């Protein structure tokens, strides 16, 4: 399912992907966006589910310090909005005391930065609300990691209503 990434590239839409459990790591950087939507879909579909602790605060810090602060990021470009989609089991168990402050720091990086949260299985709604800072409007839930189609459809509706049809 597409989030409208028909034009990916250094001057078009950019996507970065970070996997996290105990540690966070960037698996697709913004500069990889020029490889196109088909390449991106193949990369994402081939990613393994991370195992270990759920260090959500550390993942948000990684995104802030290593992804959105990279030279390739178009943060605060007036023609660009920045959407961070956090997919989590919603059971933070490492560094949780920093979750609220890390989410706030990430949202405060610029006026175009918005956080979405996708809770999988028995994710705690309160944790998703902390991540988004906007409550249920930006938080979604699915029954398992194979149920992303419903999330993609929900994101399309949000995009259609708030982001000129695409995120």
């Amino acid at each position: 399912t597409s989030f409208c990434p028909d034009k990916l590239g250094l001057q078009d839409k950019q996507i970065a992907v970070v996997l996290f459990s105990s540690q966070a790591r960037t698996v697709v950087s913004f500069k990889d966006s020029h490889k196109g939507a088909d390449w991106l879909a193949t990369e994402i579909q081939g990613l393994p589910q991370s195992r270990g602790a759920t260090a959500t605060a550390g993942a948000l810090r990684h995104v802030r310090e290593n992804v959105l602060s990279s030279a390739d990021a178009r943060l605060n470009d007036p023609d660009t909005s920045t959407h961070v989609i956090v997919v989590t089991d919603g059971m933070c168990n490492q560094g949780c005391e920093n979750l609220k402050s890390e989410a706030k720091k990430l949202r405060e990086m610029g006026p175009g930065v918005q956080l979405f949260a996708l809770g999988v299985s028995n994710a705690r709604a309160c944790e998703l609300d902390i991540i988004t800072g906007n409550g249920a409007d930006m938080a979604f839930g699915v029954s398992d990691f194979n149920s992303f189609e419903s999330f993609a459809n929900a994101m399309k509706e949000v995009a259609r209503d708030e982001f000129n049809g695409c995120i």
Side-chain angles (χ1 to χ4, degrees), residues 25-38:
R25 64 185 174 96
T26 303
V27 294
V28 175
S29 68
F30 285 134
K31 67 182 176 185
D32 291 327
S33 292
H34 73 282
K35 295 178 181 177
D38 291 338

Side-chain angles (χ1 to χ4, degrees), residues 22-82:
S22 303
Q23 299 289 317
R25 64 185 174 96
T26 303
V27 294
V28 175
S29 68
F30 285 134
K31 67 182 176 185
D32 291 327
S33 292
H34 73 282
K35 295 178 181 177
D38 291 338
W39 177 86
L40 180 66
T42 301
E43 285 297 301
I44 290 174
Q45 290 169 356
L47 293 173
Q49 179 182 341
S50 296
R51 303 259 184 237
T54 302
T56 312
L60 296 180
R61 182 174 47 257
H62 177 88
V63 168
R64 181 172 50 84
E65 293 177 351
N66 300 294
V67 177
L68 296 184
S69 296
S70 75
D72 297 314
R74 295 194 315 258
L75 187 65
N76 295 322
D77 178 328
D79 297 323
T80 305
S81 57
T82 303

Side-chain angles (χ1 to χ4, degrees), residues 11 19 36 40 46 49 57 59 67-69 85 88 91 93 99 103 105 112 115 121 124-125 128-129 135 146-147 161:
Q11 300 305 316
L19 284 182
L40 180 66
Q49 179 182 341
V67 177
L68 296 184
S69 296
I85 302 171
T88 179
M91 302 287 185
N93 57 14
L99 182 59
K105 287 176 190 176
L115 272 69
S121 190
R124 293 184 291 232
L128 303 180
D129 290 347
N146 296 315
S147 302
D161 294 343

Side-chain angles (χ1 to χ4, degrees), residues 76-140:
N76 295 322
D77 178 328
D79 297 323
T80 305
S81 57
T82 303
H83 305 286
V84 177
I85 302 171
V86 180
V87 180
T88 179
D89 64 6
M91 302 287 185
C92 183
N93 57 14
Q94 184 177 321
C96 308
E97 65 278 3
N98 299 319
L99 182 59
K100 187 173 185 175
S101 65
E102 287 298 337
K104 185 174 188 245
K105 287 176 190 176
L106 192 52
R107 286 191 305 273
E108 289 176 346
M109 286 188 77
V113 177
Q114 294 191 316
L115 272 69
F116 293 88
L118 173 62
V120 180
S121 190
N122 295 317
R124 293 184 291 232
C126 60
E127 190 168 318
L128 303 180
D129 290 347
I130 290 169
I131 293 168
T132 68
N134 289 316
D137 290 344
M138 308 292 255
F140 304 89

Side-chain angles (χ1 to χ4, degrees), residues 3 85 116 140 150-160 167:
F3 289 22
I85 302 171
F116 293 88
F140 304 89
S150 61
F151 171 66
N153 289 333
M155 289 297 296
K156 284 180 185 177
E157 286 187 32
V158 170
R160 187 172 23 255
I167 60 171

